[in-house]
């Protein structure tokens, strides 16, 4: 595969991951991480080793955000388990 196709393909996949995150799908971060490993392969193949540094930074950010996202989701799930919605019961006639 030509270098140009690599960079276009990886860029498109990376944008798909970002769009997934924008739609509140944390798995978009996993897409991003996988894409970064492909960028590392690209950098080794093309001897552009600066991409490895960038990919390391991106992977670190993705992992930090996944951890934060899942932690907040678990807190909200627990918080919502103990929330009593009095209006909901009132509307049902209870």
């Amino acid at each position: 595969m030509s270098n140009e196709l690599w960079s276009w393909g990886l860029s498109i996949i990376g944008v798909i991951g970002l769009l997934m995150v924008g739609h509140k799908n944390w798995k978009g971060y996993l897409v991003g991480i996988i894409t970064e490993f492909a960028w590392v392969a690209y950098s080794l193949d093309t001897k552009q080793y600066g991409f490895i540094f960038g990919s390391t930074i991106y992977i670190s950010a993705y992992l930090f955000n996944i951890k934060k996202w899942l932690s907040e989701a678990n807190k909200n799930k627990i918080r919502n388990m103990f929330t009593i919605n009095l209006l909901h019961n009132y509307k049902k006639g209870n």
Side-chain angles (χ1 to χ4, degrees):
M1 187 184 314
S2 76
N3 292 343
E4 188 173 345
L5 288 178
W6 266 94
S7 60
W8 275 99
L10 293 176
S11 295
I12 290 168
I13 295 168
V15 169
I16 290 169
L18 290 173
L19 291 172
M20 290 172 67
V21 171
H23 284 91
K24 305 212 183 287
N25 184 345
W26 67 270
K27 293 175 186 170
Y29 289 122
L30 294 179
V31 171
I33 289 171
I34 292 166
T35 304
E36 290 308 319
F37 282 111
W39 275 111
V40 169
Y42 172 81
S43 71
L44 293 172
D45 184 50
T46 61
K47 296 179 177 44
Q48 297 181 61
Y49 302 114
F51 282 116
I52 295 172
F53 174 75
S55 291
T56 303
I57 300 300
Y58 277 101
I59 290 169
S60 299
Y62 287 136
L63 291 173
F64 173 80
N65 286 325
I66 286 173
K67 181 181 176 197
K68 182 179 175 188
W69 188 306
L70 293 177
S71 175
E72 288 175 9
N74 286 332
K75 285 179 190 175
N76 289 335
K77 185 187 303 181
I78 291 169
R79 186 179 308 128
N80 291 335
M81 286 173 45
F82 297 105
T83 301
I84 299 171
N85 187 342
L86 297 176
L87 279 178
H88 178 70
N89 290 337
Y90 178 75
K91 288 178 183 177
K92 283 186 171 182
N94 294 333

